[in-house]
Amino acid sequence: MRLLIERLLMALLLPLAMLGLAQRPGLLQMDAYIHDRLLILASHRASPDILIIAIDEHSLRELGRWPWSRETHARLLEGLAPAAPRGVLLDLFLTEPSADPREDARLAQAMGLLPVYLPLLHASPLAFTSHEWPGFLPPLPDFAAQARGVGHAGLAPDTDGVARTLYLLEGYPAHLQPYVGALIAQRIPQPAPEASSTDWLRQSPLRLLFAGPRGSYRTVPYVSVLRGEVPAELLRDKLLLVGATAPGLGDQTLTPNASIRGVLPGVEVHANAIDNLMHGRNVSVSPPLWHAAWTVVPLWIALWLLVRRGRYALPIAVGLASTCLLISGIAMLACHYWLPPVAPMLGLAILYLLWSWRRLESQFVYLRRRAQVLDALPGGAFEVMPVRAPAPADPTAHPQQALDRAIARLRRMQQLMDKAMQAMPVAMLICDEEGRIGSGNAAAFRLLGGGALPSNDNNSAALRGVRLPELIAPLAVTPASGTDVAHAAHWTDLLHGEYVTSDARVFRLEAAAFSGDAPEDRGWVVMLPELTAEREAQRQRDEWRQFLSHDLRSPQVTILSILSMHETTADAGMRNAIRREAERTLALAEGFMDFALAESDDYRFADTHIGAVLLDARDQVWHYARAHGVRIEARLDDDAGDTILRADGALLTRAIVNLLNNAIRHSPSGRSVELRMTLEPGNGSADASGVRISVGDQGSGMTTEQLDALLHASRGRRVPSEPDAAASETKNAGTRRMGLGFSVVRAVVQKHHGTLGAESTPGAGTTVRLLLPLTDSRPSTST
């Protein structure tokens, strides 16, 4: 609202102020200077029909001191009569009789020989004037009677004393006298309606266009014409202007085209005015309403542009001011139309200053407020607040002090964050949206500098600007399968897997995005946790697993072989006990191997035909089921038989085998175990969302507590039995313990992102269900 009010005030008050200033002397003089320079450029060729008969210094030397006798003027007119000029302006004020009346009579008689025009002399208010020409001293009656026309010859200098305008009608109301040049050119205007006033009137202004500097019109000396030295052809059908051009003689007028000498003789001013009237030349001046629009409209245009494009304030102001000056020049040179440019140009300059001032003031207010807000923020967890300095006595210094404190706090926080980042033991990099490294800590430089960088691994400049995917691509040893490099949505999609440096250090990458208020502030924090110790421990674990497997299996196989060789000689009871315990120890070793493999990350995911997995598992337990007298019934839906699942086929087969073995072991002879596979429908979709595999037996079943213990208990924990099943518990003490088989199932299902469930009814049997999603079943690298 405040900005709107300020702009409205600028749009209203500034134009009014400029309209008032446009009439002040300073701006008028500046406009007059530009007008005069343009007027010189707009000069035209002097008309060849005008000839000045100059009373110059040469004529004064030949004819003597001024004034000359009227007989001399009579002889001049008599000499001009045979040439038949179009008209003669005798720029002499013949208001007083001469000492010899015969000279006046001869001059009056000579005026009758050709068209002669005489000027009126402006009279002072105290001078006596006639009723016919009030305000003027007319020529003597004899001269006025013989003249073709009598009119005023007064010029109207501007406030700076330069004559740019004369009026074609001038005088008191009802007695307006035409300009003598208008009589010669026969361009007499009609008087405007007179107001009820008795003041001196001036009407029909003629703003002069000058033909050039002094001497632009052809001039001949008075004495040469008087002596007949000028050819008659030069005088015939010409407008002859007889007047003084010698310095100090006659009227000398300051004009825009006066050039070096500064003044122009009055007779040359009349020559320019008559030339303008004859050829219709005039400098037009805009009416007051148009002049006001010329001053105001550029300011409104500039204000509108500033509101829309305030950041370009200086080009807008300079461009519009230059445009105003250019339009003024073109209007004068091409159309002879005067548009004063100083007022709109000055208004644009003031508008620019006001706009810049208010804009800077608003910026200062904003910065002051934001500095105060920033300074007032509470200290962070790691920030030690400094002791506040006493408030300055000058209120204007408060924002400066707040800004200095805020900058100091930011500098301390930046230094603290940099030091904290450098002190972190985990390697960390800061990357932009394109994957270019901007900064990192010393741990990252040490990790990546093992072979990918020069020896100065602690120099951040070595990594700055390098694209991280290109830097670590040669180090990848276990890239995530299924990642299409060419069609990756973002460079962070290529960071899965593990990497090994040249010095055998293993690491992986984890990226997290961070962003500020602007989209260009988005960046990525990339952590490089080192896995060297974990992978070394895994290697040792694999070695121990192979060692234990070999050491556990080999003696049992040897025992079984020896028993086979001495079946006829050894005691049957002892032989069976040794065989049973050896087989049990061998099963434990195989179970341990299966569980260790299921708990590891050494999965080999591939597109697997799930129907083939189930049939393979059924075939593996067929002999065991036959030995126990149990049938295996495999039921696969028609739609599910050809389903492809991304899985580790070997481990998934082993998990189903464990479930089938467990079901066979708990089923009475003559019963059946059902292996079934169905497709799980998706939510509101025609496509399936997963594969459901169920293994059901017809054994003794379990209670709710036993089923819960089976699904959630840790490995090796005994499943509780019914109170009335003590005998069965004693008989099957070896089978009531969970062992490692179900733990393998649970681990494999978890690695495939599936779910495990079961239903059981005492005396009716147990059904275990696996639900595996049809989506990508790979474990994430962060698991």
Side-chain angles (χ1 to χ4, degrees):
M1 180 60 69
R2 181 179 60 85
L3 292 177
L4 179 61
I5 294 176
E6 289 180 355
R7 292 167 183 173
L8 289 176
L9 291 177
M10 290 183 188
L12 296 177
L13 298 182
L14 184 58
L16 293 177
M18 295 315 303
L19 290 176
L21 290 175
Q23 305 304 319
R24 303 298 298 174
L27 267 66
L28 291 176
Q29 291 178 3
M30 296 173 66
D31 279 327
Y33 176 82
I34 298 175
H35 171 275
D36 294 347
R37 302 286 78 74
L38 295 175
L39 197 64
I40 294 175
L41 296 176
S43 61
H44 56 86
R45 288 186 61 186
S47 175
D49 295 334
I50 298 176
L51 179 66
I52 296 176
I53 300 176
I55 304 173
D56 54 3
E57 295 178 353
H58 173 63
S59 300
L60 290 175
R61 286 193 301 268
E62 294 293 328
L63 299 178
R65 296 179 56 187
W66 185 265
W68 298 329
S69 65
R70 290 180 179 173
E71 181 181 2
T72 303
H73 301 315
R75 286 192 293 115
L76 176 69
L77 295 179
E78 291 170 353
L80 294 174
R86 189 186 309 177
V88 177
L89 172 60
L90 197 60
D91 191 17
L92 302 173
F93 295 111
L94 305 176
T95 58
E96 299 292 336
S98 61
D100 187 354
R102 291 176 297 180
E103 293 182 0
D104 292 343
R106 183 176 178 181
L107 178 57
Q109 184 179 3
M111 289 181 183
L113 299 178
L114 68 169
V116 176
Y117 297 87
L118 298 177
L120 291 170
L121 178 63
H122 279 274
S124 65
L126 300 179
F128 173 77
T129 59
S130 64
H131 297 287
E132 185 178 359
W133 288 292
F136 295 98
L137 293 177
L140 294 177
D142 293 341
F143 300 148
Q146 293 296 328
R148 179 68 60 89
V150 178
H152 80 86
L155 299 176
D158 293 340
T159 56
D160 57 355
V162 179
R164 302 180 183 89
T165 308
L166 60 81
Y167 293 88
L168 301 183
L169 293 174
E170 189 170 343
Y172 287 108
H175 295 282
L176 294 176
Q177 302 301 321
Y179 170 58
V180 65
L183 297 175
I184 298 175
Q186 298 180 2
R187 297 290 191 272
I188 304 175
Q190 293 295 326
E194 300 175 1
S196 57
S197 174
T198 59
D199 295 335
W200 187 268
L201 298 180
R202 287 175 173 171
Q203 296 182 0
S204 302
L206 175 68
R207 293 185 68 92
L208 298 175
L209 272 172
F210 292 91
R214 183 187 182 111
S216 297
Y217 287 90
R218 190 166 186 179
T219 304
V220 295
Y222 186 101
V223 65
S224 299
V225 177
L226 184 63
R227 293 174 179 174
E229 298 172 355
V230 177
E233 291 76 9
L234 187 61
L235 305 173
R236 182 171 291 112
D237 201 27
K238 297 293 194 300
L239 291 177
L240 306 179
L241 280 63
V242 181
T245 61
L249 186 63
D251 53 339
Q252 301 287 326
T253 305
L254 184 63
T255 58
N257 66 327
S259 188
I260 299 175
R261 298 184 65 177
V263 293
L264 196 68
V267 67
E268 289 197 36
V269 176
H270 294 309
N272 282 277
I274 295 171
D275 193 357
N276 292 167
L277 290 170
M278 289 174 57
H279 296 89
R281 299 189 185 99
N282 186 22
V283 177
S284 301
V285 180
S286 58
L289 184 59
W290 285 97
H291 183 272
W294 164 251
T295 304
V296 171
V297 170
L299 299 179
W300 287 346
I301 294 175
L303 187 59
W304 179 75
L305 291 175
L306 289 175
V307 171
R308 296 179 62 87
R309 296 289 187 272
R311 57 188 298 184
Y312 304 108
L314 183 59
I316 289 173
V318 173
L320 286 178
S322 302
T323 302
C324 290
L325 183 60
L326 182 62
I327 292 175
S328 179
I330 293 176
M332 172 64 80
L333 299 179
C335 306
H336 298 162
Y337 199 92
W338 173 235
L339 294 173
V342 174
M345 292 174 66
L346 180 61
L348 291 171
I350 296 176
L351 178 62
Y352 167 73
L353 294 177
L354 289 175
W355 179 270
S356 301
W357 168 55
R358 294 311 304 160
R359 190 177 183 188
L360 289 177
E361 179 65 21
S362 63
Q363 293 292 331
F364 288 151
V365 171
Y366 173 79
L367 291 176
R368 181 170 61 251
R369 292 176 179 174
R370 300 310 297 174
Q372 293 173 352
V373 170
L374 184 61
D375 184 55
L377 288 177
F382 299 99
E383 182 181 5
V384 179
M385 293 298 296
V387 179
R388 286 183 174 270
D394 186 5
T396 59
H398 291 180
Q400 300 176 5
Q401 187 184 62
L403 185 60
D404 292 339
R405 285 197 301 265
I407 293 175
R409 292 179 62 189
L410 289 177
R411 185 182 296 111
R412 289 193 300 270
M413 290 299 297
Q414 182 181 9
Q415 294 174 353
L416 179 61
M417 294 300 296
D418 290 342
K419 292 180 180 179
M421 180 177 176
Q422 295 298 328
M424 290 181 63
V426 178
M428 183 173 65
L429 297 172
I430 305 296
C431 301
D432 63 5
E433 189 65 18
E434 301 298 327
R436 292 185 294 267
I437 299 175
S439 62
N441 61 356
F445 299 139
R446 287 193 299 268
L447 180 63
L448 296 178
L453 292 177
S455 58
N456 53 343
D457 56 349
N458 203 23
N459 186 6
S460 61
L463 286 179
R464 188 179 301 275
V466 179
R467 293 193 76 251
L468 182 60
E470 299 174 358
L471 178 65
I472 65 173
L475 308 179
V477 291
T478 58
S481 59
T483 302
D484 190 354
V485 177
H487 300 86
H490 195 264
W491 61 270
T492 55
D493 297 335
L494 307 176
L495 301 184
H496 300 296
E498 294 183 359
Y499 303 86
V500 178
T501 63
S502 60
D503 53 353
R505 299 174 67 180
V506 183
F507 65 93
R508 70 170 185 267
L509 291 93
E510 299 175 358
F514 67 91
S515 61
D517 297 334
E520 59 270 15
D521 294 337
R522 180 180 173 88
W524 293 83
V525 176
V526 180
M527 305 296 293
L528 291 80
E530 189 171 356
L531 305 177
T532 306
E534 288 83 348
R535 292 297 171 261
E536 178 63 21
Q538 182 179 2
R539 185 187 62 80
Q540 295 177 3
R541 186 165 57 249
D542 292 341
E543 292 179 355
W544 277 103
R545 184 175 63 189
Q546 295 176 3
F547 172 77
L548 290 176
S549 173
H550 181 269
D551 286 359
L552 285 174
R553 291 169 61 91
S554 296
Q556 310 309 319
V557 171
T558 302
I559 293 174
L560 292 176
S561 299
I562 295 174
L563 289 175
S564 298
M565 295 172 59
H566 300 282
E567 283 197 15
T568 58
T569 60
D571 180 74
M574 182 180 297
R575 186 174 62 247
N576 291 336
I578 294 173
R579 181 184 296 276
R580 183 175 62 252
E581 293 304 321
E583 290 177 348
R584 180 181 179 188
T585 306
L586 188 60
L588 286 175
E590 292 177 351
F592 171 77
M593 289 292 298
D594 291 341
F595 178 74
L597 184 60
E599 286 286 338
S600 70
D601 291 331
D602 192 16
Y603 278 67
R604 299 295 184 265
F605 287 90
D607 293 338
T608 304
H609 196 286
I610 191 64
V613 170
L614 297 183
L615 295 178
D616 187 18
R618 182 197 63 181
D619 294 342
Q620 291 186 29
V621 301
W622 183 78
H623 292 285
Y624 184 64
R626 185 177 180 182
H628 283 73
V630 177
R631 299 188 308 276
I632 303 296
E633 298 180 357
R635 298 180 181 180
L636 278 68
D637 290 351
D638 295 337
D639 296 336
D642 297 331
T643 303
I644 301 299
L645 181 70
R646 190 163 185 81
D648 189 323
L651 286 174
L652 187 59
T653 301
R654 185 60 185 167
I656 297 174
V657 167
N658 287 352
L659 291 177
L660 290 173
N661 285 334
N662 190 61
I664 294 171
R665 186 167 55 250
H666 290 84
S667 296
S669 178
R671 299 295 180 92
S672 64
V673 172
E674 183 184 48
L675 174 62
R676 185 172 183 178
M677 184 182 72
T678 59
L679 292 180
E680 184 74 10
N683 295 328
S685 174
D687 298 332
S689 64
V691 176
R692 183 180 297 275
I693 301 172
S694 61
V695 176
D697 60 48
Q698 298 177 357
S700 59
M702 290 181 289
T703 64
T704 303
E705 291 78 8
Q706 291 174 323
L707 183 63
D708 182 70
L710 178 67
L711 295 177
H712 303 98
S714 60
R715 59 181 178 270
R717 176 182 173 183
R718 183 181 299 275
V719 179
S721 59
E722 293 287 343
D724 57 353
S728 177
E729 172 68 19
T730 304
K731 179 181 178 181
N732 300 320
T735 60
R736 281 299 183 183
R737 181 173 294 275
M738 287 178 60
L740 296 175
F742 203 79
S743 298
V744 172
V745 174
R746 185 165 50 232
V748 171
V749 172
Q750 180 182 3
K751 293 294 184 178
H752 285 77
H753 292 175
T755 57
L756 179 64
E759 295 178 357
S760 182
T761 302
T766 302
T767 300
V768 179
R769 294 185 179 87
L770 310 181
L771 180 59
L772 303 178
L774 287 177
T775 56
D776 189 359
S777 301
R778 292 172 300 164
S780 64
T781 57
S782 60
T783 302

